[in-house]
Amino acid sequence: MVWRRGLTALCAAVCFGLASGAALAQEPDRIFDKSTVWRPLTPNDKLVVYGIDDPDVQGVACHYTQPEKGGIKGTLGLAEEVSDISLSCRQIGPVKFKGKMKQGEVVFSERRSLIFKSMQIVRGCDAKRNTLIYMVYSDKVVQGSPKNSTSTVPLMPWGTEPPPKCGDFLG
């Protein structure tokens, strides 16, 4: 009986991983890293800063910093990464929505362990304040993590163009 639950969880993780990977094919740009733990014979543990553009909202970019394990497990891709991820998003040009969006829609996702854990960046809209809200968190098939980080992007005029209203694009 216990093995069936484990098999069900494994199947769900694999299916979720394939679905989210196919839908979100954007590769983040690696900006730089800093070592946090020196290891003499294998790669160091480090903090790595990445940049991504919102695929559905032109003019918004996010940067996130996440720890990456070195050592043998990290080198082979077998280490489960911790959930401590920070996030900062900003308007970098005139904002244009490519279509309707949903509250909590996934902007970017990647695996944080071989099978069971993933990191997600999701987007929402505070229509009253005309502000996009981005949240990063990690989830796990069996037990998620409450660790998260949030960043807001108030939509501002760019040049002479007035900002769009994010509430007009909620679907």
Side-chain angles (χ1 to χ4, degrees):
M1 188 69 161
V2 172
W3 66 271
R4 283 187 186 171
R5 279 187 292 217
L7 184 59
T8 302
L10 177 63
C11 289
V14 170
C15 291
F16 172 77
L18 292 175
S20 65
L24 304 163
Q26 179 183 3
E27 279 293 316
D29 298 319
R30 186 181 183 114
I31 309 299
F32 71 92
D33 63 70
K34 290 300 284 181
S35 293
T36 57
V37 174
W38 180 76
R39 297 180 183 273
L41 301 175
T42 58
N44 295 341
D45 292 2
K46 56 189 92 155
L47 292 171
V48 184
V49 177
Y50 291 96
I52 61 165
D53 297 313
D54 187 321
D56 297 323
V57 182
Q58 182 181 335
V60 175
C62 295
H63 292 89
Y64 62 95
T65 301
Q66 66 184 12
E68 292 184 0
K69 292 195 180 202
I72 294 171
K73 282 185 178 181
T75 302
L76 298 175
L78 301 174
E80 181 174 326
E81 301 289 352
V82 296
S83 301
D84 301 326
I85 303 165
S86 65
L87 175 69
S88 179
C89 300
R90 298 289 182 269
Q91 180 176 344
I92 59 168
V95 172
K96 291 189 170 77
F97 291 88
K98 295 182 181 175
K100 293 288 185 183
M101 64 180 192
K102 296 178 184 167
Q103 295 284 34
E105 190 169 49
V106 176
V107 173
F108 177 75
S109 178
E110 74 177 13
R111 289 190 342 214
R112 296 289 289 154
S113 73
L114 190 57
I115 296 175
F116 296 109
K117 194 175 197 181
S118 69
M119 178 269 287
Q120 316 239 6
I121 298 175
V122 296
R123 174 196 341 98
C125 164
D126 178 348
K128 179 179 176 182
R129 293 166 187 85
N130 199 30
T131 299
L132 293 172
I133 303 163
Y134 293 83
M135 177 178 63
V136 63
Y137 68 97
S138 66
D139 57 9
K140 204 173 183 180
V141 173
V142 178
Q143 176 185 7
S145 171
K147 294 180 182 180
N148 64 80
S149 181
T150 302
S151 183
T152 60
V153 179
L155 300 182
M156 306 299 284
W158 198 268
T160 59
E161 291 185 43
K165 302 283 185 204
C166 66
D168 294 346
F169 294 91
L170 289 174

